[in-house]
Amino acid sequence: MNNIGTQNIETNRLLLRKFEYSDADDMLTLWASKPEIQHMYSEPVYTTLEAVNGLLDKFISAYNNEHCYRWAIIDKTDKRCIGQIAYYLVDAKNHFAEIEYCLAMEYQKRGYMTEAVRAVLDFGFNKIGLHRVQISTKEINAPSKRVIEKCGFKFEGKLRDFFFYNGEYVGRLYYSMLKDEFEMIKKDV
């Protein structure tokens, strides 16, 4: 496995790059302060610029770790930080990682996250040298399930009543993709 750290990735509509302190306003306005976004991937809500800058301190200092792969999702048209995507769990010994992501509501259902996930998969398999990538979502998160399925992940199973969300228990759905499966999907696209 290659320990190359977070590098810029460019797609048709997006630039995936390391977080910068200049992203704080967009983060606060577009997604980090929104419970409907943050709670879907079990993250706290950040309601002040000071709190967002604290989160940025963690993100930016983590780039010193060679296994840190976290990208700000930048819309190339308006140059705004519209979300984030990361390999938040990296197992170098076994060559696998798990993806997490979030996206501002006004950018959802427009293919942005599918585009970002596909780019991060390509980076993971072909630059880092991963063999397996996994991803999970709350079973009630229909938009995330659509992204996962559009990207070609295979369903592996459900952890029942894994999250306590809005006063009820919800399951956690797990999916994965292997490098050879990704290569087959790329041929078909």
Side-chain angles (χ1 to χ4, degrees), residues 32-121:
S33 66
K34 310 291 186 196
E36 64 275 19
I37 295 170
Q38 293 298 96
H39 291 165
M40 273 300 161
Y41 77 116
S42 301
E43 289 296 315
V45 175
Y46 300 88
T47 57
T48 66
L49 205 50
E50 181 179 68
V52 170
N53 278 313
L55 177 61
L56 281 168
D57 285 340
K58 292 177 191 172
F59 285 175
I60 291 169
S61 68
Y63 291 128
N64 293 322
N65 175 346
E66 62 187 8
H67 296 297
C68 176
Y69 301 99
R70 182 173 302 279
W71 294 269
I73 301 173
I74 307 300
D75 180 333
K76 287 163 73 173
T77 303
D78 64 19
K79 310 291 190 249
R80 297 183 82 189
C81 177
I82 62 173
Q84 68 98 12
I85 186 166
Y87 284 122
Y88 79 97
L89 171 63
V90 178
D91 183 333
K93 178 183 176 197
N94 296 301
H95 304 148
F96 83 85
E98 185 164 341
I99 292 175
E100 73 172 8
Y101 53 71
C102 74
L103 189 66
M105 293 298 284
E106 53 264 44
Y107 291 86
Q108 292 183 14
K109 299 180 183 176
R110 294 169 49 191
Y112 285 104
M113 191 52 73
T114 301
E115 190 172 322
V117 170
R118 286 178 177 153
V120 166
L121 283 170

Side-chain angles (χ1 to χ4, degrees), residues 179-189:
K179 180 176 173 50
D180 61 341
E181 294 167 340
F182 178 72
E183 295 304 325
M184 291 303 293
I185 290 168
K186 273 180 52 176
K187 286 180 185 175
D188 294 339
V189 174

Side-chain angles (χ1 to χ4, degrees), residues 20-36:
E20 302 169 356
Y21 287 104
S22 60
D23 296 323
D25 286 331
D26 288 341
M27 291 170 65
L28 181 64
T29 304
L30 296 174
W31 53 274
S33 66
K34 310 291 186 196
E36 64 275 19

Side-chain angles (χ1 to χ4, degrees), residues 119-181:
V120 166
L121 283 170
D122 188 61
F123 184 87
F125 288 127
N126 294 311
K127 303 276 189 200
I128 302 172
L130 296 172
H131 172 71
R132 171 190 161 90
V133 173
Q134 62 190 37
I135 195 166
S136 67
T137 190
K138 288 179 171 75
E139 65 183 328
I140 58 170
N141 192 344
S144 184
K145 284 194 287 189
R146 277 193 301 277
V147 168
I148 292 166
E149 291 166 358
K150 281 170 50 177
C151 288
F153 283 88
K154 302 227 185 291
F155 180 69
E156 288 201 336
K158 174 181 167 180
L159 301 179
R160 299 175 302 144
D161 290 354
F162 188 86
F163 298 104
F164 189 68
Y165 178 76
N166 283 344
E168 64 183 17
Y169 292 100
V170 296
R172 183 176 193 169
L173 306 177
Y174 268 97
Y175 300 79
S176 70
M177 184 181 298
L178 304 178
K179 180 176 173 50
D180 61 341
E181 294 167 340

